[in-house]
Amino acid sequence: MVAGEYWLRLQDAFDRARTAVPDRRASVLKEVCGDDTELRAEVESLLQHDKTLASASAEPATPWGPHREDRHAGAERWAAELLGNQIGHYRLTHLIAVGGMGCVFEARQEHPSRSVAVKLLRPGFSAASALARFRVEPEILGRLQHPNIAQVFEAGVQDDRHGPLPFFAMELIPEARSLTEFALARRLDLADRLALFAKVCDAVHHGHQKGIVHRDLKPANILVGVDGEPKVIDFGVARATDADVMMTTQCTQTGDLVGTLRYMSPEQCDADARNIDTRSDIYSLGMVLYELLTGAAPYDLTSGTVYLAIRTIREAEPIRPSAANPALRGDLDAILLKALEKEPALRYQSAAELGEELRRVLRHEPVTARKPSMLYVAGRYARRHLWQTIGLSFALAGSIALLAMLVINGEIRADWAELQREMTEREAVQRERAVYPGLLQGAEGALRQFQSHVAARQLDRVRQADRENWEVRLLAARLALHDEEIVTAQGYSGGALAVDRVGRWITGFTGPAESFQVIDLQLRGRSISYPESTIHDYWLRAFPESIRSVTALNPTGAVAIDAAGKRMAFVTHVLGGDPSVVTLVSPVDSDPPTGRVWPVAGSVPWMAFHPSRAWLAAKISSPDHRHRTIVIWDLGSPVPPYALAEDVAPGGPPPTVLLTLDAQNLDSDRFTFSPDGAYFAAICGSVHVKVWRISTMIGGRSEVADATLDGNSFNLNAMAFSPDSAFLATAATDGEVFVWDVPRTLAVAERRADRWVSVGEGGAAKLSVPDTQVTCVAFGSDGNTLMGGCGNGAIVAWQRDVRAHRPDQRHPPNEWKKPNFIRGHPDSVMGLYPLADGRVLSAGHEGAIRTWRPFTEDIPRLRHHRTSIHSVAFSPDGSVAATGDGSYAIVLWDVALGHPIARVTPPERRSVRSLGFGSYRGQLLLCAAISSADIEHPLAALALWRVHPSAAVSLEFEFALPPSADREEGFHSLAFSRNGERIAAGDEEGRLHLFEVGSALAATKRVMVKQLHSAAVAQLAFLDDRGDWIVTAEAALHDRQTLSPHPLRLTRADLVGESFTPDDIRHESIFGLDVRFARIGGSAFADGVAELATADASGSVSMWKVEWTDGVPSLHLRGELIGHTGLVGGVAFHPTQPRLATCGDDRIVRIWDAEALVELAAFSGSQGVLNDLAIHPSGNPLLAACGGNFGDDNAVLIWDAEPTRESRRARALFTEYRERIQNAIEPIDYSPPLDLLMYEYPAQIKAVAERERWPDEIRTYALANFPVFIHNMQSFLLPAWRIARDSTREATDFERALQHAERALEMAPWNPMAHLTAGAAQFRLGDLGNALERLRRAGALVATSTMPKDREIAAVAAAYLTMAHFRCGDAAQAAAAFAECQEILRGSNDDIGEDAIDAHAEAESILRPRPP
Amino acid sequence: MPEAPTEVTSLLSAVGNGDAGAADRLMRVVYDELHQIAHARMAEEGRRGDLQTTVVVHEAYLRLMGGNGSAMPQNRQQFFGFAANAMRQFLVDHARKRGRQKRGGGRSAAELLDRAATVDDDPSDLLAVDEALSKLAERDPKKAKLVELRFFAGLRLDDVAEAMGVSPRQIDQEWAFASAWLRRELS
């Protein structure tokens, strides 16, 4: 048998046996293998090594909850099919439960290795909105971290053959039972039940604080494991919205429904889901507690229809709990009835309040649900002071008893007053703490989901006193992203609007009275209004006989403005009368404006001007809507000066009809002329666009379009031509936008009998917006931007990918990049109009007209790094920010404008672990811990630069750790003292190094080194202004087994160097640390620190109080901040407000109240983990460094509470042009001759800037700063090598090649090619000593590599070494090197490049010159 | 020798057209880039622990292909093929150099197959997988490629399916077979 055939049989047998049910496996094997025992044995041995079979049989089933009654046979079948499948990262191993909507599996995750519960939503039960929520949820899930909330690891959608399959993976709770079942099984008494439930309240409160309403609290969603800890499940998890529940209930039987409805609050039973807030969960908690304590329900919902059940919930009084369980009489009756109030405002306002109330019952304290009466408080008092009371009662009698009563009474009165006051205060504080973060987090969530009206409402509810808080202003700034607001009209529904191409005039029916208005954008404030009465009067004068019964003018017809803004037309028609009136006015020429007016039989829903000729196209619907035509009027030129005034000639001649198209057949709603006037395009039959050439149209063949575009499959909302008329964008209700290449489309159509063109043929690009429709579309004035207005109020902007554009191509490429979304309007966007300055004007359905920069970012980003950013810092004066990354070093930024102003490449090393700024005697210093993890080339150093006022940077001092074989990283952390005189640095081996900055910077020296920790010093900071005390924090590295017992130490920064460890350390390792200085004056140390914050890998943040005794600090733990779910890398105190900002691997920036120690806001938006953050010395903005894996995630995110219009404009412009500058520089042809390589960049930038019409400021910036953009080492290396290898070049060429090679070496000292190139250039220049060194290094770097490329480098290096040695006169060395070169060439067969062959030949010719 | 990033696309299409020299040049470019990224990553990932190959491969993709992850689906498939090979080469080179500092303990080589390879894996285990994989390649190069994509480049199985142009179901089968075969070889 051929091996290949055997192999195929083996695979086949394995597949069949593996997929067979276990009982049948043996028989399947027998059947497949027949009597081939060898095959069978091999299959069996392979099966033994099959991962899934092994794990499935090895692990026993774990009960997770009760199996539901078998009412859903379909669901069970479906679930059975899923068993064993891989969903996301999880393999489903056991079915735990199955229900009508979905099922729960126990599943195995491979990495990290753990068992999880996976919940799947059954296809068909997942409404589109639920699917949409599945995509949003993961961001929310990260915020929930509470011991009594089951953690959700992941939510996602898997594509299944039945369609999208939403799932989420959550914490597996072994042997879980529902809350009520657990209480029953364990026979818990009342106190146990209350205590258990109070924990549930805490968990729900935690969720509410994170801005999440559960909406579906019921016993089945509160599980209790064997350990007796309750866990709320499904918190923040996508579920059908309330409206979906209502829909589902209509389709299910009443029996199922009651289960669904039972715990729903009255407001949840309303169709309007917007009224639902956290208090709805309080009601559901009340229902669950009621059931837990009584075993019954407060209403009888078992009989009757859905309608009756809902009515009961909304109207019926609940049965008093004590009727079912007399032990509940009194407090618990009151508590339950308060929780179950129909009116949310009468319930407990937070879950914490309810929980606290239950704990009061347990402590026998008065509860707030009962109105405090003297007797009630006395009763409570008596129970608390039971023995005293009894003792008193027995001991004292008669008159003494009376006195005693008075005493007690007095005490009770005092107690009561105290209680009242305490309760009011506590409630106020609690409410404040509960509501404020909820509002902020709700606003932040709404912002991300484009619900700006929700966000605005949330922020409006923030108390006036809190409006100035940093976190509120950060959110408010994001709400006000637009440049300016031109019209804000209440009650205006976003009627028809038109803007000329010059961007000067806006015309339309705007304003509260919906009068026709013309707004001059240049002369702000000048606007001409044509109120209804004027039009009305004029109209009556013009046509006195045609209409008798005019009731009102209805200004809902079309408006149009021509490209130059010289002519405007609007249509009004008369309610009660058939004809409409077209009014033509010209606002520029005269004031009062001149105009012309003519009647049209029917309504005119759409008009458009021809851009260059005096044509006006209008769609006319006959009064009975049976006849629809498109008419093109020739208005004549110039506009006849009919004044819209009393002396106008009534009637006037209507304009000539140039052309009439039968719109009946076309079924056309909207049309437009192309800007060059060559085409006419119309949306026809909802989904097609027809395009005519004007020449054929006017030439008489108007009934047949020149092309029909067959692209969008849903109703078209809008279309727009690009300014050069080369592209036509069409937008539809499904959110899809097609951009057609117009000339190509027409060319294809010409070859077709039916003139239809599909997407592929027409070269159309497809763009799409998820989850909403695109209602309007417009190209930017330069044609490289396409913008869409969306049904959800967002504005989306795509940028053309101009990289592929060659100057010889007539049109730019039809390729578009990932879009930028900005929140435009609270409701759908009605129209988008590009302005000449790059802005866009939008009209929203709510009545506002706003202008925007299309590339304004919600959370602006600084982008210049290509790998993960480790560290971010502001200069002490706040003028510059620096960021350091893992490979391309340090970038200095102009923060306000978002521009990179310098790039600093550390000498010979690459990774920047940490950086800091210092101010020393008026000089700005930048210090960085830099290292290389290269195994052969381990380097670790501290570098100190001076940053000159011009942003030029000079290296002043460098300190390298001695090389060590084991070392991977070197210095981890560094800090400047406030006076700039000291630098502290912590290394990987747990040592603290202290440097004194010298008066000449180069004289800086290390003055102390001290072993403090057993693992790396991850963070450190000076504790006081003078820099006498240092706090160091230790990080236990992942692969080290030894966890240090001393993660935090205080050290005195002198050569004596005492050191202390705080007693109560809570972390195993610390990654983030910040010190807050409080200036209180006094002694040396009193001028120091008040607070310290540390953060660790688990997500915990600790707050410490620093106290000074006799000049020695000590730390006292104030509390822990729980919220982050992963490593916390960045911690920073706000300089002026009591706020702490933290960020970490969960990609969220959290803002905490540093006094009350509660989380106030959580900002998401980062697509990568956040490694570090910094707050500007003035308190704004906040920068967070993102360590992303993919593309633009390697950015610094800016949260700016006070963006100026200038900075916003500059950032938006720079965001738009950054890539273009990059693109203008990168594709420069590196081929020789290269003499002017560096001079080519400016020329190239100028050429591109001219072609693409860049704004002046961008061009100036790009010319001045282009070296910042060259960060491709290859840009230098490739041309340098091409010169160096060519022995016929001039010496000046080789000098240039050497310069380039050295620049490449600076960027990539690990690169053997860079060493080789530098060595070769040095050899050509006769610098033989250095050449030998470089070439040897190149050879050493590739010595052990087996890669063909490395072998080639080794061969070339050997060849050049041969020549260099030969020139040095060392024949023996030359021969040895040549032998090595030949050896490599022999060993690599034929797969060696020509560089090696050429080098070998050159070496050979030098070594063994052939006789001529 | 070194190639500018913009050449990657044209190299990929040259490879698609059967230009063997282009494949070799592309391999060098990709290897060089992976090598750089991996070292940069190792420096920065130190505090987190293991360096994930997936991350390196994806970052190389973005850097070499120009950042727009959605473009060029055809080239994307080819690219990951090359990247997987280069990553394997890198890991094996790295493991050889590191051989002297074997860390020991923990999982067996067979268990490595449960996840993607990382730079921090025990060098001897990585070399064992590499060797076993070479044996598999002699019998069934396609399955070996699959393992390379899955294990050395860290692609998910459905990405592997896309990169190899076969159905996810078929990939599941082939992966089950290949991993069982390798497990047996490694145990």
Side-chain angles (χ1 to χ4, degrees), chain B residues 118-146:
Chain B
T118 82
V119 170
D120 299 326
D121 282 325
D122 192 316
S124 59
D125 287 347
L126 270 182
L127 294 175
V129 173
D130 178 62
E131 199 176 310
L133 190 56
S134 302
K135 277 193 208 162
L136 178 63
E138 286 166 21
R139 290 171 177 76
D140 193 337
K142 198 173 146 202
K143 284 198 183 60
K145 186 83 223 167
L146 188 173

Side-chain angles (χ1 to χ4, degrees), chain A residues 842-918:
Chain A
S842 70
H845 188 260
E846 83 289 7
I849 296 175
R850 294 172 175 166
T851 59
W852 309 82
R853 306 224 151 250
F855 293 94
T856 301
E857 288 178 297
D858 176 11
I859 304 160
R861 284 155 160 81
L862 304 176
R863 296 186 181 89
H864 202 66
H865 291 277
R866 287 209 174 178
T867 54
S868 181
I869 303 166
H870 292 158
S871 189
V872 53
F874 282 103
S875 63
D877 65 351
S879 62
V880 187
T883 52
D885 74 11
S887 64
Y888 289 107
I890 302 165
V891 179
L892 300 185
W893 301 88
D894 179 332
V895 184
L897 303 179
H899 294 170
I901 48 177
R903 207 178 67 244
V904 186
T905 311
E908 289 278 325
R909 285 107 195 168
R910 46 188 337 210
S911 186
V912 178
R913 280 225 53 84
S914 181
L915 48 80
F917 272 111

